[in-house]
Amino acid sequence: MSDTPLLAVEDLEVRYGAATALRGASLSVRRGQLVAVIGNNGAGKTSLMRGLTGLVRPSAGRVLFKGEVVTRLPAHAMVARGLAMVPEGRLIFPDQTVEDNLILGAYAQGGLKTRRSKETLERSLAVFPRLRERLRQPAGSMSGGEQQMLAIARGLMAEPDLLVIDELSLGLAPRVVEQLIGVLRDLNRQGLTILLVEQLASYALAIADHAYVVAQGHVVRDGPSGLLARDPEVMETFLGKKKAA
Ligand SMILES: Nc1ncnc2c1ncn2[C@@H]1O[C@H](COP(=O)(O)OP(=O)(O)O)[C@@H](O)[C@H]1O
Ligand SMILES: [Mg+2]
């Protein structure tokens, strides 16, 4: 069924105790798309990401991946089904080598035992040649940009059908963010479906096909990125940008 979205999120709700971080959020991602979720700090983007990837149990709503209901499956089961995630803050293991961090990303494939996973490692290192030079170094010795490269490469090691990335730009200089945005655009052009969660809307809108705007725990708007980028209400009311153009 070609009209079945790769990912469909329906009326998702995420709570932390008595606090509701996300209410009634719906979105869909089709194969081959690069979809962005944008919104200010505290809007509920990470809660949406955690709820749909199985890192937290949603209190209401459904998640469908490849047409199957996967709501409340744990994150490792989602990875095995083809949904890999690059979490906010990267969460690499700083004391382990770059190579060992990458091998952990291939956990669902049985580590680096198979020829196929060795080929996947080669492909991931071809995307980020810098990591090849640093394979034996502790991951924590690298710059923030290199650590984000590692976090993305670790996600690629799972051979995902969908790669979800939360706050690509966090703590990185604009030049580094631009470089990483270019890599995501290339990966998408090569066929990888990407869901990019990003506070810096202009970067995400520059490469996304479609975007969702999250504000105060709600998906308040969605549309083609080009339209949203030119929409003054989106930029001023929801993203607090005073006249970005
Ligand atoms: N673990 C948590 N416990 C309690 N409240 C949380 C937790 N994580 C996030 N929140 C709250 O949920 C709301 C949404 O946060 P979050 O999803 O992290 O937003 P964003 O990723 O858009 O910055 C915020 O009010 C935040 O303070
Ligand atoms: Mg966040």
Side-chain angles (χ1 to χ4, degrees), residues 16 19 21 39-48 50 88 166-167:
Y16 304 104
N40 286 337
N41 189 24
K45 304 181 299 299
T46 294
S47 302
L48 169 58
R50 288 187 188 136
E88 184 174 87
D166 192 5
E167 298 295 0

Side-chain angles (χ1 to χ4, degrees), residues 56-77:
V56 299
R57 288 168 72 91
S59 44
R62 292 205 307 172
V63 181
L64 290 95
F65 189 60
K66 300 177 181 173
E68 289 175 40
V69 177
V70 294
T71 326
R72 297 185 188 84
L73 279 187
H76 65 83

